[in-house]
């Protein structure tokens, strides 16, 4: 739907947001269990924020002067959050399987061969995690606080949730953490570089850049809600259960709500009057529980990339590659020492 008022109603009205969240599907038995899992993971990630910047600085030091994106963005986020996702005491083989999955399976590839490879990595990871979940559940002594995201998932899952389902929920959450962060970082550096003189330091605060990138090119390009009862919207009669789709991209580019909506303009975040509806992490009762934390981590990542360096990109194509997310096409990022 293109009508902004109707789109916001669909996302925020309790009538469209009852029952189970579509993100978790039927993997958890109740809405309360879904909400509890979301909170547990969010608080575990939030506790990791103070160390993330330091870990990201070390990760950035390890990339070459010219790096291939957007894959580098995903791998940077994974390296800086590796201990958050799986604590250092897990078997090295499990960490390797997760790294391979991050490299191949965070977004559905348009190429069949890549999808087959990604599914093979996912299945191997599910099998390994299922056994590891069983081991953690059998531990006689539990840590006083989650050691990693997997602990948070296991602790928040009701007892009737199987080991395999807990493993699958964990993978879903890894995708929801690393994917949006890595791709939003990629959009941020690409758009900032293309809209400023190559090699010069950026004139905008990093937080403005990352917020504007998430507005201009939101990774979540489509979200949906179920119609609860017979209704008529936009002149179309809809049956109960029909999915109404809302595009954050369209809402972020509504010329009636945003000043100069088609332009990448980080400075708009210093002028509240230029703000329209902003929902890079959806909106309403089913919005992402970790939206504020995600913004902090994206900004920390871009800050680390720009520390003591000047950035430029090779390639000027900002068209999106759209599958189950909206991501930038391949580009190269060059980091040169600032003088």
């Amino acid at each position: 739907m293109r009508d902004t008022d109707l789109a916001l109603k669909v996302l925020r009205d309790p009538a469209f947001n009852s029952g189970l969240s579509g993100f978790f599907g039927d993997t958890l038995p109740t809405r309360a269990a879904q909400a509890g899992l979301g909170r547990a993971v969010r608080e575990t990630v939030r506790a990791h924020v103070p160390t993330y910047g330091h870990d990201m600085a070390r990760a950035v030091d390890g990339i070459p002067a010219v790096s291939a994106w957007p894959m580098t963005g995903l791998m940077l986020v994974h390296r800086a959050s590796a201990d958050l996702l799986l604590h250092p005491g897990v078997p090295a083989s499990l960490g390797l399987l997760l790294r391979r999955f991050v490299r191949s399976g965070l977004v559905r590839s348009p190429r069949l061969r890549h999808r087959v490879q990604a599914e093979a990595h996912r299945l191997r990871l599910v099998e390994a995690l299922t056994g590891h979940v069983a081991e953690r559940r059998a531990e006689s002594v539990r840590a006083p606080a989650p050691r990693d995201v997997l602990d948070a998932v296991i602790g928040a899952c009701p007892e009737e949730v199987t080991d395999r389902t807990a493993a699958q929920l964990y993978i879903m959450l890894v995708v929801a953490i690393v994917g949006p962060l890595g791709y939003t970082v990629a959009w941020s550096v690409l758009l900032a570089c293309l809209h400023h003189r190559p090699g010069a330091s950026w004139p905008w605060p990093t937080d403005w850049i990352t917020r504007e990138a998430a507005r201009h090119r939101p990774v979540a390009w489509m979200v949906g809600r179920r119609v609860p009862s017979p209704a008529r919207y936009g002149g179309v009669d809809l049956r109960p259960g029909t999915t109404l789709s809302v595009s954050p991209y369209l809402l972020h580019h509504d010329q009636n709500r945003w000043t100069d909506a088609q332009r990448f303009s980080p400075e708009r975040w210093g002028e509240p009057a230029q703000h329209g509806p902003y929902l890079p992490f959806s909106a309403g009762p089913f919005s992402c529980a970790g939206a504020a934390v995600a913004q902090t981590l994206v900004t920390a990542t871009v800050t680390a990339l720009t520390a003591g360096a000047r950035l430029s990109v090779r390639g000027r194509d900002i068209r999106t590659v759209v599958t189950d997310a909206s991501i930038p096409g391949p580009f190269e990022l060059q980091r040169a020492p600032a003088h």
Side-chain angles (χ1 to χ4, degrees):
M1 61 184 66
R2 296 187 63 90
D3 182 272
T4 294
D5 289 332
L6 179 56
L8 293 175
K9 177 181 178 181
V10 167
L11 294 179
R12 293 170 176 168
D13 192 325
F16 290 93
N17 294 274
S18 60
L20 298 176
S21 164
F23 174 80
F24 292 107
D26 59 358
T27 54
L28 290 167
T30 65
R31 176 76 173 270
Q34 292 181 337
L37 178 55
R39 285 193 300 269
V41 172
R42 178 191 63 204
E43 293 310 309
T44 302
V45 175
R46 192 192 303 277
H48 185 74
V49 167
T51 63
Y52 181 88
H54 175 71
D55 293 341
M56 180 55 70
R58 290 194 302 169
V60 167
D61 285 342
I63 66 173
V66 178
S67 52
W69 288 68
M71 182 55 68
T72 297
L74 293 177
M75 300 315 297
L76 281 174
V77 171
H78 176 254
R79 288 171 198 152
S81 59
D83 291 350
L84 163 67
L85 299 176
L86 288 173
H87 72 83
V90 303
S93 59
L94 189 58
L96 178 60
L97 285 173
L98 181 60
R99 185 161 59 251
R100 288 174 176 170
F101 172 73
V102 168
R103 184 173 288 277
S104 69
L106 291 195
V107 167
R108 185 175 183 271
S109 171
R111 298 182 179 180
L112 177 60
R113 178 171 62 87
H114 292 169
R115 294 202 299 272
V116 171
Q117 292 174 342
E119 180 61 12
H121 286 310
R122 189 190 71 82
L123 289 174
R124 284 193 287 269
L125 180 59
V126 169
E127 292 302 321
L129 279 168
T130 299
H132 188 67
V133 168
E135 292 174 4
R136 290 203 189 188
R137 280 178 155 175
E139 290 176 353
S140 57
V141 178
R142 297 293 178 87
R147 296 164 294 179
D148 54 22
V149 169
L150 184 56
D151 266 358
V153 171
I154 293 171
C157 281
E159 291 184 1
E160 64 266 29
V161 172
T162 67
D163 297 339
R164 187 177 185 86
T165 298
Q168 292 170 329
L169 282 165
Y170 170 78
I171 292 172
M172 290 167 55
L173 288 158
V174 168
V175 172
I177 293 168
V178 179
L181 295 183
Y183 289 123
T184 302
V185 169
W187 277 122
S188 297
V189 297
L190 175 61
L191 292 166
C193 285
L194 292 180
H195 289 82
H196 192 58
R197 182 163 50 87
S201 51
W202 296 336
W204 316 287
T206 306
D207 182 67
W208 292 7
I209 294 170
T210 56
R211 289 182 186 278
E212 180 66 356
R215 180 201 71 84
H216 196 64
R217 290 291 188 270
V219 173
W221 72 282
M222 193 72 73
V223 294
R225 298 289 186 268
R226 298 278 183 168
V227 176
S229 58
R232 185 176 179 83
Y233 295 104
V236 178
D237 292 318
L238 301 173
R239 301 176 184 177
T242 302
T243 298
L244 278 174
S245 295
V246 174
S247 171
Y249 177 89
L250 292 179
L251 270 64
H252 289 179
H253 289 77
D254 184 343
Q255 297 282 10
N256 296 318
R257 302 296 186 95
W258 291 89
T259 302
D260 205 359
Q262 298 302 319
R263 187 167 67 93
F264 177 75
S265 177
E267 56 270 19
R268 77 172 72 248
W269 294 96
E271 299 290 341
Q274 295 192 35
H275 294 194
Y278 182 64
L279 50 151
F281 301 100
S282 191
F286 285 143
S287 62
C288 174
V293 179
Q295 173 62 29
T296 298
L297 298 182
V298 169
T299 301
T301 305
V302 177
T303 298
L305 282 163
T306 57
R310 298 287 184 265
L311 307 184
S312 58
V313 296
R314 297 176 183 174
R316 303 189 63 84
D317 190 353
I318 62 170
R319 291 176 295 180
T320 60
V321 177
V322 176
T323 53
D324 49 353
S326 177
I327 66 177
F331 67 93
E332 289 185 339
L333 179 70
Q334 181 174 0
R335 295 180 73 246
H339 297 294

